[in-house]
Amino acid sequence: QVQLVESGGGLVQPGGSLRLSCAASGSIGSIATMGWYRQAPGKQRELVGAITSGVNTAYADSAKGRFTISRDNAKNTVYLQMNSLKPEDTAVYYCNARLTSYGSTWYNTYWGQGTQVTVSS
């Protein structure tokens, strides 16, 4: 059983910052890519950023220069530092991980339950 648990969401004023965390726990073998997605009301879920086990990163154009994704492999945790937040960043943010269960070589994708980020004055 694998779980991803996000934390760090909340209400912030435009121009402010938030740091999201997502910890993977359970019977984990190895974690390949971890990432963050978001879904605003009435919109499709979209990729915000992703990071490989070798710490190569990729970002959506909307996140470049403002958001930074990082991970702590020892803690099976991925972070999303969000700066210069805008009202259009308001969404539910979901953590995603592609990993193997302990003893298996099959990679599966897991999702967290989501954390609300609201940017408003």
Side-chain angles (χ1 to χ4, degrees), residues 7 13 23 30 36 46 49 61 64 68 70 93 98 102 110:
S7 60
Q13 292 187 341
S30 64
W36 289 94
E46 63 178 4
D61 287 343
K64 289 178 181 176
T68 302
S70 60
Y93 284 70
R98 182 167 170 78
Y102 182 78
Y110 294 85

Side-chain angles (χ1 to χ4, degrees), residues 44-106:
Q44 289 189 329
R45 191 173 297 188
E46 63 178 4
L47 175 69
V48 177
I51 184 167
T52 68
S53 58
V55 299
N56 293 312
T57 58
Y59 296 94
D61 287 343
S62 59
K64 289 178 181 176
R66 300 188 299 128
F67 295 2
T68 302
I69 190 169
S70 60
R71 66 189 276 178
D72 184 333
N73 290 328
K75 296 181 179 179
N76 291 335
T77 299
V78 63
Y79 306 95
L80 183 68
Q81 177 66 44
M82 303 186 292
N83 299 327
S84 302
L85 283 161
K86 306 175 182 179
E88 51 263 43
D89 294 317
T90 296
V92 178
Y93 284 70
Y94 296 91
C95 172
N96 163 285
R98 182 167 170 78
L99 56 86
T100 64
S101 296
Y102 182 78
S104 172
T105 57
W106 291 96

